Amino acid sequence: MSDTPPSTRARSGLPKWLKVTIITMLVLANIAVLGFIWLVQTGNSLFAEARTDEAVTGVLDPANNGARTFLVVGSDTREGLDNLENFGSFSGARGDVVMLVKVDSSGSAQMLSIPRDLWVSIPGHGENRINAAYAFGGPKLMVETVKQNLDVPINHYVEIDFVGFQALVDELGGINIDFPNAARDSKSGLDIPAGTTTLNGEEALAYARSRHYQENQNGSWQSVDANDIGRTGRQQEVMKAMLAELKSPSSIAEAGNLASAMSQHLTVDSNLANESIASMVWDFKGIITGSVDGMTLPTTGRTIGGASVLVAKEPEADEMLASFRAGTTTVSDTLTLEVLNGSSRNGAAGEMSEILQSHGFEVGSIGNAGSDTYERTTIVVPEGSENGERIVGALGFGVVEFGSVDNAYDAVVIVGSDA
């Protein structure tokens, strides 16, 4: 008969897989609980100290069906910025970043970027770029303009300025962005080496604002997505990187500092300021571990009155807006794609196929692109086809090339190192 106490024998007899499972469940449960507490504490502190806008509340739509749509605006006011060399010093403010974010209780979220140069009708001010609405009439007119032109209900308004954005990124300890090549933008001050880089607040702002983006490819500087559409893709990349950092245990522990860093640079509608944060967080608790789909409104360039602007591209823009309103990323007129792995990472084509299918595209086959390594995700379409821009708009990144495509497919997606 063994001298070992029965209780000891029972503990040591647990299978290793069961021990691992129990420990994993406990760790995940604690992270989820801490995340919930972080959101409640941060939310209460943020909205208690943030500026509120009563006027914008009157033009917002009541929330229903457990989903809410936020109009998120990045104001380009220079007030409080230490370094004006790369941002200019003009007075006033405009809507430099315009983004719709839709969240629901299932934990899914959608970001729809609206290019700031989108040509729209501004109530009481005729036609102009959409970011001019903020300069003409502040948050209220901005909401009215987005609702009138895009026919999207808006339930809440959130605005953060340059200084608040920088402060939040710095409090997070920076955000990680992968650069397939060294990158620069002399206008925004961006100057980053190749590889995964932790950007501080000023660098993250320079990257998010870059409209003259260049990469050093094979020893020479090349313009890559150096336009308003490329810029919205970079903004979404920054938002996702920030969300990834906000979910980390270290960020949860620093909730108070994060709230203080943002509150004085944040403006919200009065309904959001007065709402029970605990109740709202419970509604959207799934977003702690949920996914985020990023889209950019399809547009095409045009010159109006001597100015270079963007106009909504139809029918793609209407289809994307209908999908956004419905809470899906599905679009009609499904494209059939061939997906090839042009990166050095195994499984990249399969992962991209899942992403494309979630956006409503059909994947006919997957494979390898050969021995060449692609730095940028490349969408190959037949000469004259506009399907490439539609795919780039859904993904939020990538470049379009005209070339030969098998008749069985509408386009070939070659996954690059940037995916």
Side-chain angles (χ1 to χ4, degrees):
M1 183 174 179
S2 172
D3 293 332
T4 305
S7 60
T8 303
R9 289 201 305 272
R11 287 196 298 271
S12 62
L14 284 174
K16 183 178 180 180
W17 66 266
L18 182 56
K19 293 178 183 178
V20 173
T21 301
I22 291 172
I23 292 172
T24 301
M25 289 177 65
L26 288 173
V27 170
L28 291 177
N30 277 286
I31 288 176
V33 170
L34 286 170
F36 179 82
I37 293 173
W38 177 85
L39 285 169
V40 173
Q41 291 179 339
T42 304
N44 276 319
S45 177
L46 269 177
F47 297 146
E49 300 178 28
R51 297 184 296 268
T52 58
D53 191 302
E54 295 284 349
V56 74
T57 304
V59 296
L60 295 172
D61 300 293
N64 54 38
N65 299 325
R68 305 190 195 197
T69 299
F70 296 73
L71 177 61
V72 180
V73 172
S75 165
D76 68 355
T77 176
R78 271 62 171 168
E79 184 177 354
L81 275 178
D82 294 327
N83 178 15
L84 295 177
E85 181 180 350
N86 297 309
F87 300 108
S89 58
F90 67 83
S91 60
R94 296 169 299 178
D96 193 66
V97 177
V98 185
M99 187 178 294
L100 290 166
V101 179
K102 186 171 186 175
V103 295
D104 62 37
S105 55
S106 71
S108 66
Q110 293 173 284
M111 291 190 297
L112 177 59
S113 293
I114 305 170
R116 71 174 192 174
D117 288 343
L118 182 68
W119 193 254
V120 296
S121 175
I122 300 176
H125 295 273
E127 293 185 328
N128 209 318
R129 294 182 176 92
I130 196 167
N131 70 331
Y134 186 94
F136 291 149
K140 179 176 181 291
L141 186 59
M142 193 71 180
V143 169
E144 291 176 325
T145 300
V146 173
K147 288 175 59 176
Q148 174 178 297
N149 289 272
L150 304 184
D151 192 26
V152 173
I154 299 174
N155 310 120
H156 291 295
Y157 178 84
V158 178
E159 176 190 324
I160 186 170
D161 61 30
F162 281 175
V163 180
F165 175 87
Q166 288 188 181
L168 176 58
V169 172
D170 285 334
E171 283 294 338
L172 287 170
I175 57 172
N176 294 320
I177 300 290
D178 181 57
F179 292 87
N181 300 289
R184 72 181 187 184
D185 183 336
S186 59
K187 297 289 186 180
S188 71
L190 183 72
D191 187 7
I192 303 295
T196 300
T197 303
T198 301
L199 304 183
N200 62 27
E202 186 173 336
E203 291 169 333
L205 180 59
Y207 182 62
R209 298 196 69 247
S210 174
R211 299 181 75 192
H212 302 274
Y213 187 76
Q214 292 184 316
E215 288 188 354
N216 192 323
Q217 299 180 357
N218 300 319
S220 64
W221 288 99
Q222 304 291 328
S223 294
V224 179
D225 296 331
N227 51 37
D228 211 22
I229 299 301
R231 184 172 181 268
T232 59
R234 287 185 281 275
Q235 289 168 1
Q236 290 186 6
E237 188 178 5
V238 167
M239 290 282 284
K240 290 180 180 180
M242 292 172 68
L243 182 59
E245 292 296 329
L246 285 168
K247 293 177 182 179
S248 70
S250 60
S251 294
I252 292 169
E254 296 295 327
N257 291 340
L258 291 171
S260 297
M262 283 190 67
S263 60
Q264 59 184 315
H265 304 287
L266 197 68
T267 300
V268 299
D269 62 271
S270 57
N271 284 342
L272 191 59
N274 297 326
E275 187 167 0
S276 166
I277 301 302
S279 173
M280 185 175 71
V281 170
W282 180 255
D283 288 342
F284 303 124
K285 58 186 181 297
I287 200 65
I288 295 173
T289 55
S291 60
V292 180
D293 291 319
M295 300 177 285
T296 300
L297 188 73
T299 58
T300 186
R302 187 176 296 177
T303 300
I304 299 179
S308 296
V309 300
L310 296 172
V311 296
K313 186 176 182 180
E314 304 300 351
E316 291 87 348
D318 277 345
E319 292 174 350
M320 184 170 288
L321 288 168
S323 298
F324 184 84
R325 287 190 290 268
T328 68
T329 53
T330 303
V331 294
S332 60
D333 189 20
T334 303
L335 302 180
T336 301
L337 310 176
E338 180 181 21
V339 181
L340 303 177
N341 188 357
S343 72
S344 57
R345 186 168 58 86
N346 292 332
E351 293 173 5
M352 177 60 77
S353 295
E354 293 180 2
I355 294 171
L356 290 166
Q357 288 170 340
S358 74
H359 284 288
F361 300 107
E362 181 178 326
V363 176
S365 67
I366 62 174
N368 293 315
S371 58
D372 292 337
T373 299
Y374 287 73
E375 299 293 343
R376 309 288 298 184
T377 294
T378 304
I379 292 83
V380 182
V381 294
E383 188 73 35
S385 172
E386 298 179 346
N387 290 331
E389 295 178 6
R390 175 171 160 184
I391 297 168
V392 169
L395 291 176
F397 64 94
V399 294
V400 178
E401 289 186 0
F402 294 118
S404 177
V405 177
D406 190 285
N407 290 334
Y409 309 108
D410 295 296
V412 178
V413 178
I414 304 174
V415 184
S417 301
D418 61 336

